[in-house]
Amino acid sequence: MKRSLFVLFFFSNILSAENYPSAFSTGVSFSGYNSRYYTKRQETVWFRGEVCLKDFVLLLPDPECSKHKVFLEKRGETYLGSYQFENKNIYLSYGNRFRPLNHFFFLREKFDFSSFWFLEQPTVRTGFLGLKFGEGILGTYYAENSADKQPGFFFKPYKNYLELAYSPQTKEGFILLEFPSSDERKLERKPYWFRTEIFGTKDDPQGIISTSWTDREKDKRIFVSGFRGRSGQLFQLSERTDPEEKAELFRFVWEPGPYRRLQFAESSRYSSDGKELYSAQSVLGRMEILEFPWFAILAQARAYSFSDHSSWVFGKGLYIAYQKKFWRWELGQEWRKNGDRLTEAGLQLSIGKNWKIYSSLIYAEEKNLYPAFAEESITPEETGLVVTDKSFYSFLRIFHPYFSIHIRHTREKESKGDGLSMRFQVYIPVFD
């Protein structure tokens, strides 16, 4: 009976909680990757608490009270604790979670990240001290292996529109520039957004730049993005790659109406010393040839160029699809002039304000000579194109404010090996 009441208590809070994150919450996270070359797993169990001490002293709510936050977690076999203090004048934090900047790549732990936009990202061990002036903050920070011998500096002039940080020890800088801000963008009130998130040294900058304009009522969109990061984020090839390799992606998408798309994409791989190793380009055009209330039949033309082949290859495709506002699905096949054949499927669903489901799938014939482009997440908010020569490539992302699932499954040609990457996270609000 007690166990049933306990479950009912938590379930009722999950259904009723609307503020993210709640004052007290808990959760679990599992991340893993397994292939014939490499295996790694990490489990995290955590508890988060947030209090305003003046509420308990005066028994009255006070918007100017000092905030205290605690984050306790177990990452694998390691126990970690983080603490943050903040009032209208001072920001202070220490541990592996709290930081005053929203920059996704800023000092985060490389293997894992939180899919919940409202939850603090896992970081290396850090310490921050800042002075607040209105909506801005200026301060210094400590970070394991990058600012432990010489302190770094950070500056946020106003809200979340602009953030700057720099480590004199490693000569590594961070910049975040976005409009509207991440908090405003979640409300989906503006049809446009611009975001620049860059980090690294002067000789090796990385990050993402993207801008978009969307008319949700008429299903129109223009999207431009550029990304530079680890090679494994943009290339999933059968040959093993050096972990120090970098890759770049430029992508332009114009959708003048439902079922119509013009897209250009270019991806490049670079060695650790900056030499280009491989490049791939794709030009795509698509439009409807028959449209019905619940689906449409689409014709597609696509041209590919790869640096290890001297000429362009052309392909034509036939797809069945449905598209309206936040609901999209498609299934079809592409025939290339050189004899390659490719089966593709995609799904994008937004149900209410909370549910978001995204999936993509590619099945390539064993005899195919050329790779393909697959769409997948780069960060929790950005999607990109991955160049892959796998015979099977699938990606699934399910997001709800209380749980998140990311699964990628690949299979090499001739069934020589499978790769499975999975991240499963649960967020449980205890009470506000």
Side-chain angles (χ1 to χ4, degrees):
M1 182 65 180
K2 291 183 179 180
R3 182 178 298 178
S4 299
L5 291 175
F6 179 78
V7 172
L8 181 62
F9 168 76
F10 275 95
F11 187 69
S12 62
N13 277 279
I14 287 177
L15 292 179
S16 60
E18 296 182 354
N19 297 321
Y20 308 122
S22 60
F24 293 90
S25 57
T26 186
V28 296
S29 173
F30 169 82
S31 298
Y33 177 75
N34 185 38
S35 72
R36 61 175 177 166
Y37 300 121
Y38 180 70
T39 298
K40 184 171 184 177
R41 291 178 175 84
Q42 180 170 295
E43 300 83 22
T44 302
V45 181
W46 57 267
F47 172 82
R48 182 186 185 280
E50 178 178 347
V51 296
C52 188
L53 291 182
K54 285 189 176 182
D55 286 349
F56 297 96
V57 176
L58 302 177
L59 300 179
L60 292 172
D62 183 358
E64 298 298 326
C65 68
S66 300
K67 296 179 181 179
H68 299 260
K69 298 180 183 180
V70 176
F71 207 113
L72 306 176
E73 57 186 312
K74 178 177 178 286
R75 293 186 195 171
E77 300 302 320
T78 305
Y79 292 86
L80 301 170
S82 304
Y83 170 75
Q84 175 185 313
F85 167 82
E86 184 177 8
N87 61 21
K88 62 181 180 181
N89 298 315
I90 297 175
Y91 178 97
L92 173 67
S93 67
Y94 184 79
N96 296 77
R97 283 283 177 169
F98 300 115
R99 55 184 183 175
L101 306 184
N102 291 325
H103 195 293
F104 174 73
F105 303 98
F106 182 49
L107 305 179
R108 77 175 185 88
E109 194 214 38
K110 293 295 189 292
F111 181 68
D112 197 12
F113 65 86
S114 174
S115 299
F116 304 116
W117 56 267
F118 51 84
L119 197 65
E120 291 82 5
Q121 294 288 339
T123 67
V124 298
R125 182 159 295 276
T126 63
F128 291 90
L129 175 61
L131 299 178
K132 300 176 66 177
F133 48 94
E135 298 288 347
I137 182 172
L138 172 66
T140 184
Y141 70 90
Y142 153 91
E144 198 171 47
N145 299 324
S146 62
D148 50 355
K149 299 177 181 179
Q150 190 174 358
F153 304 93
F154 68 91
F155 177 49
K156 182 189 291 190
Y158 180 72
K159 291 187 176 180
N160 296 327
Y161 299 115
L162 175 63
E163 298 177 353
L164 302 167
Y166 180 72
S167 169
Q169 179 178 323
T170 59
K171 304 295 188 289
E172 188 176 22
F174 301 84
I175 179 171
L176 170 64
L177 175 62
E178 61 179 358
F179 186 83
S181 69
S182 55
D183 294 335
E184 295 171 333
R185 195 162 67 250
K186 300 295 186 302
L187 302 176
E188 297 181 345
R189 292 176 179 175
K190 297 184 182 296
Y192 59 86
W193 54 267
F194 170 81
R195 181 182 180 88
T196 298
E197 194 164 359
I198 300 173
F199 70 101
T201 62
K202 182 180 179 180
D203 297 329
D204 184 24
Q206 301 180 59
I208 190 164
I209 300 175
S210 60
T211 184
S212 174
W213 174 86
T214 304
D215 186 335
R216 295 182 176 86
E217 295 298 323
K218 297 181 180 180
D219 282 322
K220 295 182 178 182
R221 181 174 72 132
I222 298 176
F223 173 71
V224 183
S225 70
F227 176 77
R228 177 180 169 86
R230 292 181 293 104
S231 179
Q233 293 177 281
L234 298 178
F235 287 86
Q236 289 289 320
L237 303 174
S238 298
E239 62 178 281
R240 296 189 66 181
T241 59
D242 187 337
E244 299 301 318
E245 285 184 11
K246 297 296 188 294
E248 293 179 353
L249 167 67
F250 172 78
R251 186 184 184 194
F252 169 81
V253 179
W254 176 41
E255 295 177 342
Y259 308 120
R260 298 189 176 189
R261 172 183 291 187
L262 177 64
Q263 175 178 280
F264 172 78
E266 181 175 16
S267 300
S268 301
R269 275 175 57 201
Y270 297 92
S271 63
S272 57
D273 58 1
K275 181 181 178 181
E276 184 176 86
L277 302 174
Y278 186 82
S279 65
Q281 295 178 326
S282 170
V283 181
L284 177 149
R286 171 185 290 186
M287 66 178 298
E288 75 280 6
I289 54 177
L290 288 173
E291 186 173 351
F292 303 96
W294 290 102
F295 68 94
I297 298 176
L298 314 180
Q300 176 177 291
R302 183 156 46 184
Y304 301 88
S305 174
F306 300 95
S307 59
D308 56 351
H309 293 79
S310 59
S311 60
W312 285 73
V313 62
F314 297 90
K316 55 186 178 180
L318 192 63
Y319 294 77
I320 180 172
Y322 173 77
Q323 178 177 332
K324 190 171 183 180
K325 293 185 179 179
F326 304 107
W327 291 63
R328 296 186 180 194
W329 59 263
E330 64 180 52
L331 174 65
Q333 193 165 63
E334 178 180 274
W335 298 269
R336 298 174 182 171
K337 196 171 182 179
N338 69 331
D340 288 358
R341 187 159 52 177
L342 198 70
T343 301
E344 296 179 295
L347 174 69
Q348 296 183 51
L349 298 179
S350 294
I351 305 174
K353 295 182 178 180
N354 293 327
W355 287 92
K356 296 185 183 298
I357 303 173
Y358 178 83
S359 179
S360 62
L361 179 148
I362 288 181
Y363 172 74
E365 297 286 341
E366 291 285 351
K367 63 181 179 60
N368 281 9
L369 300 177
Y370 291 87
F373 286 77
E375 190 158 2
E376 191 184 316
S377 293
I378 295 178
T379 73
E381 296 182 301
E382 305 281 354
T383 60
L385 292 178
V386 177
V387 179
T388 180
D389 61 358
K390 310 289 186 180
S391 63
F392 179 80
Y393 191 101
S394 65
F395 176 74
L396 172 66
R397 178 178 66 189
I398 302 175
F399 176 81
H400 183 275
Y402 298 126
F403 67 89
S404 174
I405 300 172
H406 286 67
I407 300 175
R408 181 210 294 151
H409 178 214
T410 63
R411 175 167 296 172
E412 296 187 17
K413 292 183 177 182
E414 301 176 359
S415 302
K416 289 184 177 180
D418 285 29
L420 180 63
S421 175
M422 182 175 68
R423 184 169 65 255
F424 176 73
Q425 298 176 326
V426 176
Y427 169 83
I428 303 175
V430 180
F431 58 86
D432 288 316

